[in-house]
Amino acid sequence: MAEGKKTQKIYLYTRFERFWHWIQALMIGGLLITGFEIHGTYTLIGFEKAVKIHNYVGLTWLIMFAFFVFWLFTTGEWKQYIPTTKKLISVIQYYVWGIFKGKPHPVKKSADSKHNPLQRLAYLGISAVLLPTQMATGLLFYLYNMMPQGFPLSLLAILHTFIALLLLNFLVIHIYMTTTGHSFFSHITGMITGWEEVYENTQIEEWEMPGKKP
Amino acid sequence: MDCLVCHESTGTYKKFPTGAGHPASEPTVFPDENKTYYPPDWNKVAQSVQRPGRENCGTCHFYGGGGDGVKHGDLDSSMTHPDKHLDVHMGKDGQNFSCTRCHSTSLHHIAGRVYQTPAVKEVKSLIEDDLTSKITCVSCHSKTPHRQNAKANDHTDKVACQSCHIPTFARINPTKMSWDWSTAGRKKDGKPFVDKDEFGKPAYATKKGDMRWEKNVVPSYFWYNGSIEHLTLNDVIDPLKEVWISRPAGSIDDPNALIYPFKVHWGKIPYDKVNKKLVVPHLFPNSKTDTTAYWKVFDWNAAIGYGQEYLGLAYSGEYDFVESLYVFPTTHMVAPKENVVNCTECHIREKGRLAALGQIYLPGRDRSLLFDRIGWLAVLAALAGVCLHGLGRIFVKKNREE
């Protein structure tokens, strides 16, 4: 938006982050597609194949997620997920109103602060609540035969399916939001190359810096 | 039991149909079949004794209920010389098992009978099973017979082998699936008659009523712990519902119960309207002067009255017909593995094989409609939201450019 302003490219996403993002996107996509076939929503590749793929991808994700959490805490990147209410309202106002007026985004991106307050909230909810619950229910589902007699499969299945739908809901919004950058593809380009176009003279505010408590 | 019926091997040892287990003592014509029965050549028959073959077992078990395939859907004369597609164990072009290969015996105790209570209490090794008188698929194949990590191995704790490995029964010969006694007694030109169906089987007989025969029948599935509950003539019935004359016992909470395939035979049979109990009609005339046998006089009231009195049971004098169900466990006609039941024949939203089976959450079949709806509504709302938002952006951008 805001035409005519000068832009610069900054290196925002490291190779590991990009790799993790896309591999996770691939796995979530695969799990959603096969998962809803298992759920009986449609027939695509065949139930048996869907179950096999779903199991393999699910277990792979589980293992990789453990490495990701380790990385998150050893590098301090977990701080990117600390929620804040500061500027949260202005970010919401921007997406509801300002974006149509051609106003600039109220929070700038930088290597130290990649997520705006709304993203922090959404990503924290997903990474800390939805994904772990999804993984736990999925693993228990996978190990159902080892569970004690009378263990309620229905509870696991209903929760697992419901969270899958919430993640699909997130995916829709997430993909749409990639088009709201400086240009239509600038966010996606950033996640592919690591370099994202931002406006020149971007000022990173103090509270967005690492080591500062929000 | 007479020894010869199981052990003779000439195939000439025939009993007279109404001889109460005796062969004819002199050449006798059986009028219903218009066939002459001869006395056996005793020397020949006696010298032929051997271990029972399929013909011996089949003489009774293939023809139970008065004809080929009347009772069991998985046992009929096609099992005398089956190919491996009909029965992977007994197929002459395959393993060529005889009945006694699985139904092993010790001092005439025959393994594998299910009409004992309970037939299978727990899984045992083959050796134990041979010593006792119980045998199951698991005795030879173990509880994890599929490839390592195969999902099918996770099913064996709740699903009997037979449920997947017998996709349909009566695959060669038809089996009787229903029998409506209430329509019996109609005559053509004042005479009893028989109408045949497309299989050449009786579809209507004056003596017996309407019957339906079927081939390639998909079994019905029930929780089954090895016991079958039987209704007796003393049990009070609810004539407004289908009456289960026999019913598999077990539930998901029963650690010994498995999901097991059955032939369910539907019937319409007489009962005592006042006492609300099943009754036993006297069918076969015991003499030329019999005035009560149904197959002679076609009078239900007289036949029931005689039958009940003979058994020392009460009869109010009022009868009607009630719908009934009878179950037969399905365990023979195991198909080759290529013909096994597919995942989606059960794991499917509607009309699956297990559509009627309760007490379980079956992925692909079951869901929470409420949570599914809330979830999909959220997805659709998001989709609608981003579409509107996007259109709005395009719209205002165009306006601004102009």
Side-chain angles (χ1 to χ4, degrees):
Chain A
M1 309 284 130
E3 297 83 0
K5 279 197 186 174
K6 278 197 173 177
T7 59
Q8 61 174 353
K9 281 196 167 183
I10 58 166
Y11 190 63
L12 214 50
Y13 306 111
T14 63
R15 194 181 293 168
F16 173 80
E17 287 169 299
R18 274 140 51 207
F19 166 77
W20 175 247
H21 174 269
W22 289 115
I23 203 86
Q24 185 161 249
L26 211 66
M27 288 191 293
I28 291 178
L31 287 167
L32 283 172
I33 291 166
T34 52
F36 282 113
E37 171 147 21
I38 298 165
H39 187 55
T41 309
Y42 48 73
T43 307
L44 193 70
I45 56 168
F47 186 88
E48 196 172 6
K49 210 184 267 176
V51 170
K52 267 186 195 152
I53 293 172
H54 198 83
N55 284 347
Y56 278 117
V57 176
L59 289 173
T60 309
W61 189 22
L62 201 65
I63 294 161
M64 289 183 83
F65 198 74
F67 282 98
F68 173 70
V69 171
F70 178 75
W71 171 86
L72 210 58
F73 282 97
T74 48
T75 56
E77 287 291 314
W78 60 276
K79 287 180 184 131
Q80 304 269 5
Y81 295 85
I82 295 171
T84 174
T85 51
K86 196 160 184 185
K87 286 209 174 181
L88 180 63
I89 301 296
S90 48
V91 171
I92 294 171
Q93 275 173 346
Y94 167 74
Y95 284 118
V96 172
W97 188 244
I99 191 167
F100 298 109
K101 289 272 166 194
K103 288 195 175 146
H105 198 288
V107 179
K108 305 298 175 221
K109 284 186 184 185
S110 76
D112 293 326
S113 178
K114 295 164 188 166
H115 303 150
N116 69 48
L118 199 59
Q119 282 178 305
R120 281 171 187 250
L121 219 56
Y123 294 171
L124 182 70
I126 286 163
S127 319
V129 182
L130 291 190
L131 294 188
T133 314
Q134 195 67 339
M135 287 169 186
T137 51
L139 187 66
L140 288 175
F141 204 121
Y142 180 74
L143 300 175
Y144 180 66
N145 270 54
M146 295 160 72
M147 298 294 131
Q149 173 96 9
F151 192 82
L153 186 66
S154 56
L155 208 71
L156 290 181
I158 290 166
L159 195 60
H160 199 71
T161 312
F162 188 60
I163 293 176
L165 284 167
L166 294 185
L167 290 173
L168 184 61
N169 167 284
F170 162 77
L171 204 62
V172 169
I173 298 168
H174 184 66
I175 291 170
Y176 170 73
M177 292 297 248
T178 62
T179 67
T180 62
H182 159 68
S183 70
F184 201 75
F185 288 114
S186 65
H187 282 333
I188 287 185
T189 312
M191 195 43 90
I192 293 170
T193 62
W195 292 88
E196 179 151 342
E197 265 183 324
V198 294
Y199 296 116
E200 220 173 11
N201 314 321
T202 295
Q203 211 55 43
I204 310 301
E205 295 197 25
E206 208 187 338
W207 62 269
E208 293 176 281
M209 305 291 269
K212 304 278 188 222
K213 289 225 165 111
Chain B
M1 293 288 280
D2 80 71
C3 311
L4 287 170
V5 75
C6 295
H7 289 285
E8 79 91 27
S9 61
T10 64
T12 61
Y13 182 69
K14 292 259 160 58
K15 299 186 176 212
F16 192 72
T18 58
H22 289 281
S25 51
E26 54 191 57
T28 316
V29 178
F30 181 56
D32 279 36
E33 293 174 355
N34 206 12
K35 186 175 155 188
T36 310
Y37 284 76
Y38 296 94
D41 182 342
W42 291 107
N43 282 335
K44 222 173 110 186
V45 166
Q47 282 165 4
S48 78
V49 295
Q50 59 160 33
R51 182 187 286 248
R54 295 184 191 129
E55 289 85 353
N56 296 100
C57 306
T59 301
C60 295
H61 294 283
F62 296 164
Y63 297 91
D68 196 6
V70 168
K71 274 193 178 178
H72 300 279
D74 60 335
L75 286 174
D76 59 46
S77 65
S78 67
M79 293 289 276
T80 314
H81 303 288
D83 65 7
K84 65 182 175 192
H85 290 286
L86 180 61
D87 192 296
V88 79
H89 299 109
M90 295 175 73
K92 293 219 150 182
D93 51 348
Q95 301 293 316
N96 202 14
F97 281 13
S98 65
C99 307
T100 50
R101 179 66 188 82
C102 294
H103 296 277
S104 51
T105 57
S106 162
L107 301 171
H108 286 105
H109 290 290
I110 302 166
R113 289 148 40 100
V114 298
Y115 297 101
Q116 222 166 338
T117 343
V120 184
K121 245 197 163 151
E122 57 204 22
V123 176
K124 296 184 214 76
S125 77
L126 176 58
I127 297 161
E128 278 175 296
D129 265 312
D130 275 350
L131 292 175
T132 63
S133 59
K134 315 286 158 49
I135 194 161
T136 66
C137 311
V138 172
S139 305
C140 293
H141 291 282
S142 87
K143 266 259 159 183
T144 50
H146 310 96
R147 239 170 299 153
Q148 220 187 341
N149 292 326
K151 192 67 202 161
N153 282 335
D154 288 345
H155 285 68
T156 57
D157 60 335
K158 289 291 168 200
V159 182
C161 311
Q162 291 93 329
S163 292
C164 300
H165 288 275
I166 307 173
T168 57
F169 55 80
R171 294 206 290 275
I172 306 280
N173 292 346
T175 188
K176 190 145 68 78
M177 294 303 291
S178 81
W179 184 340
D180 182 354
W181 282 95
S182 72
T183 59
R186 280 204 307 265
K187 289 177 186 168
K188 224 180 235 172
D189 308 323
K191 279 183 183 166
F193 69 101
V194 176
D195 272 343
K196 300 263 170 97
D197 66 6
E198 78 244 53
F199 306 116
K201 296 284 187 182
Y204 179 81
T206 305
K207 283 181 172 182
K208 297 174 181 178
D210 281 300
M211 295 175 230
R212 200 181 70 253
W213 296 76
E214 283 177 36
K215 264 170 85 167
N216 288 309
V217 186
V218 174
S220 301
Y221 299 86
F222 302 98
W223 289 104
Y224 175 51
N225 64 13
S227 300
I228 289 181
E229 293 163 355
H230 290 272
L231 195 77
T232 71
L233 291 168
N234 293 317
D235 293 323
V236 175
I237 58 163
D238 176 1
L240 297 174
K241 291 184 192 150
E242 287 175 325
V243 174
W244 293 82
I245 300 171
S246 68
R247 189 173 207 168
S251 72
I252 190 170
D253 300 319
D254 184 339
N256 296 320
L258 299 174
I259 297 166
Y260 201 96
F262 289 85
K263 166 183 163 176
V264 180
H265 180 273
W266 180 93
K268 207 164 178 187
I269 53 173
Y271 77 103
D272 186 323
K273 258 174 97 170
V274 177
N275 296 326
K276 293 199 167 47
K277 288 176 183 176
L278 297 182
V279 290
V280 179
H282 168 47
L283 295 176
F284 208 95
N286 42 29
S287 72
K288 293 233 187 268
T289 56
D290 195 329
T291 55
T292 54
Y294 186 77
W295 287 348
K296 195 159 189 290
V297 297
F298 296 103
D299 177 351
W300 281 116
N301 225 356
I304 295 166
Y306 181 91
Q308 292 292 94
E309 199 191 327
Y310 185 84
L311 293 171
L313 296 168
Y315 175 52
S316 69
E318 281 183 62
Y319 71 92
D320 200 355
F321 292 88
V322 65
E323 292 180 45
S324 68
L325 300 171
Y326 196 102
V327 296
F328 298 89
T330 304
T331 191
H332 305 95
M333 296 189 183
V334 174
K337 63 180 176 204
E338 309 85 74
N339 303 114
V340 74
V341 170
N342 280 327
C343 306
T344 43
E345 291 188 46
C346 299
H347 293 280
I348 192 159
R349 185 78 73 224
E350 277 164 354
K351 293 181 183 152
R353 285 173 180 249
L354 297 185
L357 191 86
Q359 300 181 308
I360 49 164
Y361 182 93
L362 188 61
R365 183 193 74 171
D366 295 327
R367 60 177 164 171
S368 158
L369 210 56
L370 177 71
F371 280 93
D372 263 26
R373 281 197 179 143
I374 295 172
W376 281 112
L377 218 63
V379 173
L380 289 176
L383 214 56
V386 299
C387 284
L388 286 174
H389 200 271
L391 284 171
R393 277 167 59 211
I394 293 165
F395 180 71
V396 296
K397 197 177 173 201
K398 261 196 182 150
N399 270 5
R400 229 178 304 125
E401 275 164 3
E402 281 162 13

